[in-house]
Amino acid sequence: MARSSTGTAVAALTAAAIAAVGFLAYQANATAPDHPTQARSDSRSSSPKDGGKGKEGRDAKKVPADSGTGRRVVYAVGAKRVWLVGADERALRTFKVAPSSVDPEPGAYGVTSRSAGLVGSDGVQVEHVVIFHQANGIVFGFSSALDGSTPNPNARKKTGGIRQGREDGSAMWDFATNETKVVVVP
Protein backbone atom coordinates (compact mmCIF):
# COMPACT_ATOMS: atom_id res chain seq x y z
CA MET A 1 0.00 0.00 0.00
CA ALA A 2 1.38 3.44 -0.96
CA ARG A 3 1.91 6.10 1.73
CA SER A 4 0.30 9.47 1.36
CA SER A 5 2.61 12.48 1.31
CA THR A 6 -0.29 14.61 2.58
CA GLY A 7 -0.05 13.08 6.08
CA THR A 8 3.67 13.80 6.28
CA ALA A 9 3.14 17.39 5.12
CA VAL A 10 0.37 17.96 7.69
CA ALA A 11 2.58 16.56 10.46
CA ALA A 12 5.48 18.83 9.43
CA LEU A 13 3.25 21.91 9.27
CA THR A 14 1.74 21.09 12.69
CA ALA A 15 5.19 20.69 14.23
CA ALA A 16 6.33 24.01 12.73
CA ALA A 17 3.22 25.79 14.03
CA ILE A 18 3.71 24.40 17.54
CA ALA A 19 7.36 25.48 17.52
CA ALA A 20 6.41 29.00 16.35
CA VAL A 21 3.75 29.36 19.06
CA GLY A 22 6.22 28.15 21.69
CA PHE A 23 8.82 30.66 20.55
CA LEU A 24 6.32 33.54 20.58
CA ALA A 25 5.12 32.56 24.06
CA TYR A 26 8.72 32.54 25.29
CA GLN A 27 9.35 35.96 23.73
CA ALA A 28 6.20 37.43 25.30
CA ASN A 29 7.10 36.08 28.74
CA ALA A 30 10.66 37.40 28.51
CA THR A 31 9.49 40.96 27.82
CA ALA A 32 6.47 41.03 30.16
CA PRO A 33 6.67 43.39 33.19
CA ASP A 34 6.86 41.99 36.73
CA HIS A 35 3.56 43.72 37.48
CA PRO A 36 0.95 44.13 34.73
CA THR A 37 0.13 47.60 36.07
CA GLN A 38 3.65 48.89 35.48
CA ALA A 39 5.38 49.89 32.27
CA ARG A 40 8.41 47.76 31.40
CA SER A 41 10.90 50.58 31.92
CA ASP A 42 9.52 51.15 35.44
CA SER A 43 9.19 47.50 36.45
CA ARG A 44 12.88 46.81 36.91
CA SER A 45 14.25 46.98 40.38
CA SER A 46 16.55 49.75 41.42
CA SER A 47 19.79 48.46 42.75
CA PRO A 48 22.55 50.66 44.10
CA LYS A 49 24.55 49.92 40.94
CA ASP A 50 21.78 51.24 38.68
CA GLY A 51 22.38 54.79 37.48
CA GLY A 52 18.97 56.11 38.58
CA LYS A 53 17.94 59.30 36.86
CA GLY A 54 17.12 62.49 38.76
CA LYS A 55 16.19 63.00 42.37
CA GLU A 56 13.90 59.93 42.61
CA GLY A 57 16.74 57.62 41.52
CA ARG A 58 19.18 59.10 44.03
CA ASP A 59 16.68 59.26 46.89
CA ALA A 60 15.41 55.75 46.25
CA LYS A 61 18.86 54.34 47.01
CA LYS A 62 19.11 56.05 50.40
CA VAL A 63 18.25 53.76 53.29
CA PRO A 64 15.95 55.64 55.71
CA ALA A 65 18.02 57.13 58.53
CA ASP A 66 15.63 55.99 61.26
CA SER A 67 15.72 52.31 60.23
CA GLY A 68 18.20 50.88 62.72
CA THR A 69 21.54 49.30 61.97
CA GLY A 70 22.97 46.03 60.72
CA ARG A 71 21.71 43.54 58.18
CA ARG A 72 17.97 44.07 57.74
CA VAL A 73 14.93 44.54 55.53
CA VAL A 74 13.54 48.08 55.68
CA TYR A 75 9.96 48.76 54.63
CA ALA A 76 8.92 52.43 54.31
CA VAL A 77 5.11 52.44 54.41
CA GLY A 78 4.66 55.95 52.97
CA ALA A 79 7.16 55.46 50.14
CA LYS A 80 5.89 51.92 49.42
CA ARG A 81 9.52 50.87 49.09
CA VAL A 82 11.75 48.13 50.49
CA TRP A 83 15.52 48.09 50.98
CA LEU A 84 17.57 44.95 51.56
CA VAL A 85 20.43 46.30 53.69
CA GLY A 86 23.73 44.47 54.18
CA ALA A 87 25.77 44.38 57.37
CA ASP A 88 27.90 47.20 55.95
CA GLU A 89 24.83 49.51 55.98
CA ARG A 90 24.66 49.67 52.17
CA ALA A 91 21.48 48.91 50.26
CA LEU A 92 22.02 45.73 48.30
CA ARG A 93 18.68 46.20 46.54
CA THR A 94 15.68 48.50 46.69
CA PHE A 95 12.30 48.24 45.01
CA LYS A 96 8.71 49.48 45.07
CA VAL A 97 5.97 47.33 46.62
CA ALA A 98 2.17 47.33 46.66
CA PRO A 99 0.59 47.11 50.14
CA SER A 100 -2.76 45.60 51.09
CA SER A 101 -5.55 47.23 53.08
CA VAL A 102 -3.71 47.31 56.45
CA ASP A 103 -0.18 48.55 57.12
CA PRO A 104 2.00 47.19 59.93
CA GLU A 105 2.81 49.57 62.77
CA PRO A 106 6.29 51.11 62.60
CA GLY A 107 8.79 49.08 64.60
CA ALA A 108 11.37 46.33 64.48
CA TYR A 109 10.27 42.76 63.83
CA GLY A 110 11.89 39.52 62.76
CA VAL A 111 11.05 37.03 60.03
CA THR A 112 8.94 34.39 61.77
CA SER A 113 8.13 32.05 58.89
CA ARG A 114 8.55 31.52 55.17
CA SER A 115 6.68 29.56 52.54
CA ALA A 116 7.75 28.80 48.99
CA GLY A 117 4.14 29.12 47.86
CA LEU A 118 0.55 29.31 49.10
CA VAL A 119 -2.75 31.08 48.55
CA GLY A 120 -2.64 34.62 49.97
CA SER A 121 -5.28 36.07 52.27
CA ASP A 122 -6.81 37.75 49.21
CA GLY A 123 -7.22 34.40 47.44
CA VAL A 124 -4.33 34.87 44.99
CA GLN A 125 -1.62 32.21 44.52
CA VAL A 126 1.66 33.69 45.81
CA GLU A 127 5.28 32.60 46.11
CA HIS A 128 8.35 33.57 48.17
CA VAL A 129 6.24 34.40 51.22
CA VAL A 130 8.20 36.03 54.06
CA ILE A 131 6.10 36.61 57.22
CA PHE A 132 7.39 39.09 59.82
CA HIS A 133 4.46 40.13 62.06
CA GLN A 134 0.94 39.29 63.16
CA ALA A 135 -1.49 41.59 64.99
CA ASN A 136 -5.24 41.47 65.56
CA GLY A 137 -5.58 38.41 63.34
CA ILE A 138 -3.79 40.09 60.41
CA VAL A 139 -0.61 38.50 59.08
CA PHE A 140 2.00 40.86 57.63
CA GLY A 141 4.50 39.66 55.08
CA PHE A 142 6.04 40.05 51.66
CA SER A 143 5.06 37.90 48.68
CA SER A 144 4.90 37.79 44.90
CA ALA A 145 1.70 36.93 43.04
CA LEU A 146 2.15 34.30 40.35
CA ASP A 147 -0.29 36.21 38.12
CA GLY A 148 1.49 39.53 38.76
CA SER A 149 -1.52 41.08 40.50
CA THR A 150 -1.31 43.54 43.35
CA PRO A 151 -3.61 43.69 46.38
CA ASN A 152 -6.54 46.04 46.55
CA PRO A 153 -5.64 48.60 49.25
CA ASN A 154 -9.33 49.57 49.46
CA ALA A 155 -10.63 46.04 49.98
CA ARG A 156 -13.14 45.45 52.78
CA LYS A 157 -11.22 42.41 53.94
CA LYS A 158 -8.31 43.39 56.18
CA THR A 159 -5.12 41.88 54.81
CA GLY A 160 -1.45 42.61 55.47
CA GLY A 161 0.19 41.23 52.35
CA ILE A 162 2.87 43.40 50.74
CA ARG A 163 3.34 42.44 47.10
CA GLN A 164 6.54 42.73 45.16
CA GLY A 165 7.53 41.76 41.63
CA ARG A 166 8.62 38.17 41.13
CA GLU A 167 12.29 39.08 40.61
CA ASP A 168 12.22 41.20 43.78
CA GLY A 169 10.43 38.39 45.61
CA SER A 170 13.22 36.01 44.69
CA ALA A 171 15.80 38.46 46.06
CA MET A 172 13.76 38.89 49.26
CA TRP A 173 13.49 35.11 49.62
CA ASP A 174 17.26 34.69 49.36
CA PHE A 175 17.97 37.58 51.76
CA ALA A 176 15.27 37.34 54.46
CA THR A 177 15.78 34.01 56.18
CA ASN A 178 14.13 33.21 59.53
CA GLU A 179 14.87 35.78 62.24
CA THR A 180 16.18 38.39 59.76
CA LYS A 181 15.35 41.82 61.16
CA VAL A 182 12.52 43.69 59.41
CA VAL A 183 12.21 47.38 60.26
CA VAL A 184 8.99 49.21 59.35
CA VAL A 185 9.23 53.00 59.13
CA PRO A 186 6.45 55.53 58.36
Side-chain angles (χ1 to χ4, degrees):
M1 182 172 201
R3 291 192 161 228
S4 167
S5 64
T6 307
T8 304
V10 169
L13 286 172
T14 302
I18 290 172
V21 168
F23 175 75
L24 292 173
Y26 167 78
Q27 241 184 348
N29 187 44
T31 59
D34 291 338
H35 291 292
T37 58
Q38 295 175 328
R40 182 66 186 164
S41 63
D42 195 34
S43 67
R44 293 185 183 165
S45 300
S46 299
S47 73
K49 293 180 182 177
D50 290 343
K53 301 221 183 324
K55 188 172 190 264
E56 166 62 24
R58 286 190 307 274
D59 289 347
K61 295 176 196 172
K62 289 183 184 176
V63 178
D66 57 348
S67 67
T69 59
R71 186 179 184 280
R72 65 198 181 279
V73 174
V74 177
Y75 171 43
V77 175
K80 298 179 184 169
R81 180 169 287 278
V82 167
W83 291 262
L84 305 181
V85 183
D88 62 358
E89 295 300 317
R90 292 185 4 197
L92 303 173
R93 186 181 189 98
T94 183
F95 48 90
K96 293 291 252 179
V97 294
S100 290
S101 58
V102 181
D103 294 321
E105 289 293 320
Y109 306 97
V111 173
T112 57
S113 66
R114 297 166 19 111
S115 177
L118 52 83
V119 175
S121 54
D122 60 354
V124 174
Q125 184 70 38
V126 294
E127 67 180 354
H128 297 132
V129 181
V130 176
I131 305 297
F132 64 88
H133 182 55
Q134 184 172 353
N136 303 318
I138 300 170
V139 177
F140 295 96
F142 303 100
S143 65
S144 303
L146 295 182
D147 66 2
S149 66
T150 58
N152 178 358
N154 302 317
R156 290 178 157 240
K157 184 176 182 181
K158 294 181 178 185
T159 60
I162 303 159
R163 293 277 165 77
Q164 54 208 354
R166 293 183 75 186
E167 189 176 305
D168 297 324
S170 181
M172 174 72 78
W173 180 258
D174 292 341
F175 183 85
T177 56
N178 281 338
E179 298 183 21
T180 297
K181 186 177 5 174
V182 177
V183 179
V184 178
V185 297

